[in-house]
Amino acid sequence: MLSHQASDPKRKSLHGHWSSRMAFILAVTGSAVGLGNIWKFPYIAGQNGGGAFVLVYLICVVVIGMPVMMSEILIGRRGRRNPVATMALLGQEEGGSTRWRWVGGMGVVAGILILSYYSVIAGWTLAYVVKSATGVFAGASAAAVSEQFNGFTGDWRLVALCHTLFMSLSVFVVARGVERGLEQAVRFMVPALLILMLVLLGYSINSGYFDEGVAFMFTPDFDRLTWGSVLAALGQAFFTLSIGMGAIMAYGAYLPEETSITGASAAVVTADTSIAILAGLAIFPLVFANDLNPADGPGLVFDTLPLAFGQMAGGTFFSTIFFILLSFAAWTSAIGLMEPAVAWIVERFNKTRAQATIATGFLIWFVGMGSVLSFNVLSDVRFLAGTIFDNVDYLTSNIMLPLGGLLIVIFAGWVMCRNSTADELHGSGGLFKTWRILARFVAPIGILIVLINAVR
Ligand code: PFF
């Protein structure tokens, strides 16, 4: 039996390996930083009253997000297979059960569901690159900008076209494989993204409403905090870090043995959180400067920023850059969302990477049509959390990811033996002990309390 020993050095991923530690950090950061930071974080923070939500979100990122991410990477690297096979293999080796594969299976499904609507919003972003570049927003009034948004999202053919285009771009990169596709894409996109966010921040500091934006984000009003918004904060922490669904596990499978998982996780969590806070700091002052509503919902970025840009000198240029940035961020995240499904199909059915990617892409495209139609033809079809889009979002972010994360930390903290995890995390010192306490107690109990109270 392999258990309780160093993982087999001959165990290799079928899909190749990251060429360096930096490549891995870039790839995971590329997956983490996406629409979740720039589109979703501000609008959810806005809907949940700002400060208190942001505080809970930050706590969730540190005490739950970080240990879950480390657990996912260490499981992925030890198994070196797709998330389904890795969970089955380690489940058996560690004396658990191969039934742990269902955690990987839920991740594959969550990735497909998330990308189905993520691609639709990414499609809006692509359309807004064109709208911005052609000067549609220059000097436009609030009414004109929101008419653009409603007119565009109301036209299902156009939205479907953009969704199709975005899915094709994602399939293209994923089909090229780990080193040639994923790595090349993120190497350029992540640094570009950071620079462009700083440019945007400079704009918002000059808006005259920076203090209002800062106060909204960092002054907690606990009266507005419900269990529902605590769950939203937990779900957002999972979503933004790309954890709880095996994406990071799949990336971990391509990680060289000697790379420090703790260091890489800390770098990714810091980068991701900084970009979300930076996005909030860039967006809220502009919202207040223009007398807009922070609780506007999914349209916030699309309804408010073009208006603000339209009133600035050089707005056409910066607006175009902003939406290009957002498209790139979405693109590198879409790659991570497809990876578990693609890796699983390649290994399970012995298909080529290209075949697996095209099949997965087509399925996601089809499911995504539900979200395309949620903003127009089927906007009146409402149940449980709202439209089809709202339900897919709620089910994945607020239920599947926290549940997946819960099972992943329980597996790493309780099922895997101490030696196996110490071996992957290279140590038995204070950092390892801290991780173990967080993974065994703090994270599982925290997730359970939030899930139980919010869903009751
Ligand atoms: N973390 C991404 C974002 O914040 O936009 C979304 C995401 C990507 C979730 C990849 C999950 C994933 F596997």
Side-chain angles (χ1 to χ4, degrees), residues 30-40 111 114 118 236 238-243 245-248 272 329-330 332-338 340 401:
S31 152
V33 175
L35 293 173
N37 305 60
I38 296 164
W39 161 73
K40 205 174 187 195
I114 294 176
Y118 200 87
Q236 174 62 15
F238 275 92
F239 186 89
T240 193
L241 296 176
S242 308
I243 51 178
M245 53 151 282
I248 301 298
D272 186 78
T332 52
S333 297
I335 298 167
L337 285 160
M338 286 185 90
L401 299 187

Side-chain angles (χ1 to χ4, degrees), residues 41-335:
F41 172 71
Y43 96 73
I44 300 203
Q47 281 178 332
N48 288 282
F53 171 91
V54 173
L55 186 67
V56 177
Y57 158 80
L58 290 175
I59 294 172
C60 289
V61 163
V62 176
V63 301
I64 299 178
M66 179 82 185
V68 172
M69 178 174 281
M70 289 169 66
S71 305
E72 261 198 50
I73 302 175
L74 80 85
I75 292 171
R77 182 164 74 184
R78 209 164 176 83
R80 293 235 181 269
R81 312 199 170 166
N82 70 77
V84 181
T86 285
M87 290 303 293
L89 176 71
L90 296 192
Q92 189 178 37
E93 280 183 5
E94 299 284 342
S97 146
T98 57
R99 255 180 271 161
W100 281 97
R101 70 180 180 279
W102 288 104
V103 176
M106 183 168 76
V108 168
V109 175
I112 289 170
L113 288 176
I114 294 176
L115 188 51
S116 80
Y117 77 81
Y118 200 87
S119 163
V120 175
I121 313 294
W124 296 0
T125 311
L126 290 177
Y128 268 61
V129 171
V130 178
K131 280 184 192 288
S132 297
T134 51
V136 169
F137 303 119
S141 65
V145 173
S146 86
E147 204 172 301
Q148 276 290 334
F149 180 73
N150 295 334
F152 167 66
T153 51
D155 182 346
W156 74 268
R157 287 189 189 82
L158 213 52
V159 178
L161 182 74
C162 297
H163 164 54
T164 310
L165 188 63
F166 184 79
M167 276 314 300
S168 312
L169 286 172
S170 305
V171 166
F172 174 74
V173 182
V174 178
R176 284 170 64 94
V178 171
E179 290 207 6
R180 279 187 310 148
L182 307 197
E183 231 177 279
Q184 293 310 324
V186 287
R187 208 173 267 284
F188 157 70
M189 288 178 202
V190 177
L193 191 73
L194 261 173
I195 293 169
L196 288 171
M197 274 327 293
L198 289 172
V199 171
L200 264 169
L201 183 67
Y203 252 100
S204 93
I205 290 176
N206 286 323
S207 70
Y209 281 76
F210 193 62
D211 293 348
E212 278 82 343
V214 172
F216 180 75
M217 276 183 67
F218 296 115
T219 314
D221 173 1
F222 290 104
D223 291 345
R224 305 196 53 173
L225 205 63
T226 60
W227 278 111
S229 43
V230 175
L231 179 62
L234 177 71
Q236 174 62 15
F238 275 92
F239 186 89
T240 193
L241 296 176
S242 308
I243 51 178
M245 53 151 282
I248 301 298
M249 201 186 287
Y251 279 19
Y254 319 141
L255 184 62
E257 216 55 66
E258 59 285 355
T259 307
S260 153
I261 292 178
T262 315
S265 304
V268 173
V269 170
T270 308
D272 186 78
T273 311
S274 311
I275 291 189
I277 298 292
L278 217 57
L281 287 177
I283 286 166
F284 287 119
L286 299 179
V287 169
F288 295 118
N290 293 282
D291 224 359
L292 301 164
N293 179 9
D296 227 13
L300 187 70
V301 166
F302 298 94
D303 244 353
T304 60
L305 286 182
L307 174 65
F309 282 126
Q311 292 162 3
M312 292 171 191
T316 297
F317 175 72
F318 282 105
S319 182
T320 310
I321 301 270
F322 175 80
F323 286 107
I324 290 177
L325 172 165
L326 200 52
S327 308
F328 275 0
W331 199 15
T332 52
S333 297
I335 298 167

